[in-house]
Amino acid sequence: MHRKPIAGDESVSSLVMAHDLQMRLHNLENRVAFARMFFPMEAKLVMEIAQAETTSELSGLVCSRD
């Protein structure tokens, strides 16, 4: 007795999921930026361990303290 959802609902659902994923990514990038600002040495070490140079959106907001 399961009904198949309407095709329009699937596209709306995927848009909501994409937006949620984008918001989570933005939140994580904000956290990295704040960590780099308040704990520059620790953040630099973690970024080296992760083999990441910068975050994509917020790399220009925090000045490097090398």
Side-chain angles (χ1 to χ4, degrees):
M1 292 205 196
H2 297 295
R3 294 185 347 189
K4 185 176 179 180
I6 300 172
D9 289 341
E10 289 177 12
S11 65
V12 170
S13 177
S14 66
L15 287 174
V16 170
M17 288 175 56
H19 178 69
D20 185 48
L21 182 61
Q22 185 67 29
M23 293 305 295
R24 287 182 182 194
L25 177 61
H26 188 66
N27 182 12
L28 290 174
E29 289 178 336
N30 281 337
R31 293 170 78 180
V32 169
F34 285 123
R36 292 180 77 189
M37 189 180 340
F38 293 117
F39 307 102
M41 296 303 295
E42 294 86 347
K44 184 177 178 180
L45 177 64
V46 170
M47 294 296 277
E48 287 175 6
I49 292 170
Q51 298 178 349
E53 294 234 352
T54 62
T55 58
S56 62
E57 287 185 33
L58 304 174
S59 61
L61 295 179
V62 180
C63 297
S64 176
R65 297 183 187 178
D66 295 327

